[in-house]
Amino acid sequence: MEKLTVRLAEQRAAHDAVFSQRLAALKRLVEIAELDSDQPHHCRRILLAVYNSHEWPLDLTRLRCLDPDLQRAALRVIEWAVYTDRELHEYLPQGNTIMQRFWNIERA
């Protein structure tokens, strides 16, 4: 029983570490998306694709326009979106408001 408890604790710690990395990647993309230049534009479009892929299909060439650290963050966020049981914007304070602001920026 003790081995099982230790193993479960290790699995939980690993899960928490992955969650922290994914949340940090999401926050990084949002932080950059708030700015005004080419990379923020691409970050917004990637975030919008995760938010509503029917309205905002993801053009994978956008990843090529990002610096390597943002590419990794984007891929981490995209992967997370595939496996999570929640919408990613729900992990952010006022996440829906943020995404609606990005939507309006990109529509303009």
Side-chain angles (χ1 to χ4, degrees):
M1 186 68 165
E2 186 176 318
K3 287 182 181 180
L4 178 60
T5 303
V6 169
R7 186 165 184 215
L8 289 174
E10 289 170 349
Q11 288 175 344
R12 183 66 183 167
H15 176 270
D16 290 348
V18 170
F19 176 81
S20 294
Q21 291 171 353
R22 289 173 173 170
L23 185 58
L26 178 62
K27 288 179 177 180
R28 176 76 173 133
L29 287 183
V30 169
E31 174 187 332
I32 297 301
E34 296 282 1
L35 304 174
D36 186 32
S37 69
D38 286 339
Q39 291 210 61
H41 164 69
H42 297 296
C43 288
R44 284 191 298 271
R45 295 302 290 257
I46 290 166
L47 289 166
L48 287 168
V50 169
Y51 181 68
N52 184 329
S53 63
H54 296 289
E55 289 290 323
W56 300 95
L58 178 58
D59 177 358
L60 293 176
T61 58
R62 292 191 182 284
L63 292 169
R64 294 181 186 159
C65 300
L66 299 176
D67 291 339
D69 65 314
L70 291 175
Q71 288 173 344
R72 285 187 294 276
L75 291 171
R76 188 167 278 144
V77 166
I78 292 166
E79 179 185 36
W80 189 18
V82 171
Y83 295 110
T84 188
D85 58 348
R86 290 175 55 190
E87 297 292 329
L88 294 188
H89 67 276
E90 295 175 5
Y91 291 99
L92 300 169
Q94 300 181 353
N96 195 52
T97 301
I98 292 167
M99 297 311 297
Q100 289 300 312
R101 186 172 61 250
F102 292 164
W103 189 300
N104 292 333
I105 291 169
E106 291 300 314
R107 280 280 182 226

